[in-house]
């Protein structure tokens, strides 16, 4: 099925975008920060391909996965929590230094954002990445001017897959359920959109823990955002 023209002069009225795995391939920077943190803790680095499988639920969960060496982890003991707190602080310091050094904008993203901007479509980034890292990354990659609003994983009391961040952004940009779309790459994005009652476009190239996005129930699935224009 061709999706060309799905984004047209009449729709969407508001567009909400995930960041990591949707707009930007940030895994190289995240992996570098994770591996430096693990080495500082006297552990073996995880490597880029492993970290790619852990990205998507925010930095705290990323570091819990890195410490466990796997996507699932057992409930932590108090001593483990102290280690986690230290590891997360190290990770934030490392990522602050490395953020944007190796990240790249995915093909088709700039064309999509420029087309929506030309039609004065209000756009927001709704991500589980801590807010402090979002603005600098968007600015370094030349995307920041497209977005009227940024919501990070710690901006509100809830984060994806809870629908709260999407509903907050939709209201702030004067959107409605009939005019707003969420564009993401993972189950968290699709689930949040479904709970918010808005349509969702999923991309195939992002971070979905090795699972196919075709099974998530998104309203549309694309290999590039340029396919929507």
């Amino acid at each position: 099925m061709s999706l060309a023209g799905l984004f047209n002069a009449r729709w969407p009225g508001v567009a909400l975008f995930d960041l990591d795995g949707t707009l930007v391939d940030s895994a190289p920077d995240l992996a570098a920060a994770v591996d430096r943190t693990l080495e500082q803790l006297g552990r073996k680095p995880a490597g880029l391909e492993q970290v790619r499988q852990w990205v998507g639920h925010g930095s705290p969960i990323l570091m819990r996965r890195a410490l466990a060496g796997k996507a699932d982890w057992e409930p932590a003991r108090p001593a483990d929590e102290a280690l986690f707190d230290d590891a997360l602080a190290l990770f934030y310091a490392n990522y602050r230094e490395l953020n944007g050094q190796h990240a790249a904008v995915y093909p088709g993203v700039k064309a999509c954002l420029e087309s929506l901007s030309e039609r004065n479509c209000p756009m927001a980034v709704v991500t589980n990445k801590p807010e402090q890292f979002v603005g600098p990354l968007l600015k370094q990659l030349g995307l920041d001017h497209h977005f009227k609003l940024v919501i990070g994983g710690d901006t509100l009391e809830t984060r994806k897959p809870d629908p709260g961040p999407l509903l907050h952004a939709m209201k702030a940009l004067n959107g409605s359920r009939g005019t707003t779309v969420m564009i993401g790459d993972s189950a968290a994005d699709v689930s949040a959109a479904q709970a918010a009652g808005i349509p969702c476009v999923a991309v195939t190239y992002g971070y979905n823990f090795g699972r196919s996005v075709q099974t998530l129930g998104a309203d549309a699935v694309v290999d590039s955002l340029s396919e929507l224009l």
Side-chain angles (χ1 to χ4, degrees), residues 198-224:
I198 63 175
C200 181
V201 174
V203 300
T204 59
Y205 51 75
Y207 313 138
N208 190 38
F209 317 112
R211 300 191 296 270
S212 171
V213 297
Q214 304 281 355
T215 64
L216 299 180
D219 297 277
V221 178
V222 296
D223 296 322
S224 169

Side-chain angles (χ1 to χ4, degrees), residues 70-207:
K70 56 185 180 180
D72 300 318
W73 67 91
E74 299 297 325
R77 299 166 298 177
D80 297 328
E81 283 300 293
L83 173 62
F84 166 73
D85 290 341
D86 290 341
L88 188 61
L90 286 171
F91 171 79
Y92 282 157
N94 290 327
Y95 188 56
R96 191 173 295 110
E97 179 181 340
L98 296 166
N99 188 22
Q101 288 193 10
H102 305 290
V105 179
Y106 286 110
V109 166
K110 288 187 177 180
C112 181
L113 297 181
E114 288 168 1
S115 177
L116 291 174
S117 289
E118 287 172 1
R119 291 191 274 111
N120 297 315
C121 174
M123 291 180 277
V125 169
V126 183
T127 174
N128 283 342
K129 182 190 288 292
E131 186 179 346
Q132 62 177 307
F133 300 119
V134 180
L137 180 58
L138 291 173
K139 184 175 183 179
Q140 183 159 341
L141 295 175
L143 302 179
D144 57 310
H145 63 287
H146 290 296
F147 298 102
K148 295 183 177 295
L149 178 67
V150 167
I151 297 179
D154 53 358
T155 304
L156 305 173
E157 293 183 359
T158 61
R159 61 184 181 181
K160 300 177 298 184
D162 188 282
L166 278 63
L167 295 171
H168 178 90
M170 181 176 70
K171 181 178 180 180
L173 298 181
N174 297 314
S176 67
R177 286 180 170 85
T179 63
T180 303
V181 64
M182 175 69 198
I183 303 98
D185 67 308
S186 72
D189 298 311
V190 177
S191 295
Q194 290 173 338
I198 63 175
C200 181
V201 174
V203 300
T204 59
Y205 51 75
Y207 313 138

